[in-house]
């Protein structure tokens, strides 16, 4: 990814570079949101189990 970005910049293909970076950012953010959803579900289950123990 880094070498591709460097190559695009060297060739002056800034539009393509920007598209690549934005696309990568969007994909990463989507993965973060998916993992956050899993974490939220686990937190919910842990809290529910803790409530039942009290």
């Amino acid at each position: 990814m880094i070498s591709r970005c460097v190559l695009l910049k060297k060739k002056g293909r800034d539009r393509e570079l920007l598209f690549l970076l934005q696309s990568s950012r969007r994909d990463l953010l989507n993965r973060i949101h998916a993992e956050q959803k899993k974490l939220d579900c686990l937190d919910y289950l842990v809290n529910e189990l803790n409530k039942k123990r009290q």
Side-chain angles (χ1 to χ4, degrees):
M1 169 77 175
I2 293 171
S3 59
R4 187 171 175 197
C5 289
V6 170
L7 183 61
L8 288 171
K9 184 63 181 164
K10 281 183 181 179
K11 290 183 175 185
R13 294 163 61 180
D14 291 351
R15 277 189 179 178
E16 290 177 62
L17 175 56
L18 183 58
F19 179 80
L20 176 63
L21 293 172
Q22 289 172 332
S23 178
S24 294
R25 184 185 186 284
R26 183 178 54 252
D27 292 344
L28 178 58
L29 193 55
N30 286 338
R31 289 194 314 247
I32 289 170
H33 287 156
E35 294 302 313
Q36 181 64 53
K37 187 173 182 178
K38 292 176 188 177
L39 183 58
D40 291 343
C41 289
L42 285 172
D43 287 345
Y44 173 79
L45 291 172
V46 167
N47 286 331
E48 287 299 309
L49 287 171
N50 281 332
K51 283 181 194 176
K52 290 181 181 181
R53 291 180 66 200
Q54 296 175 354

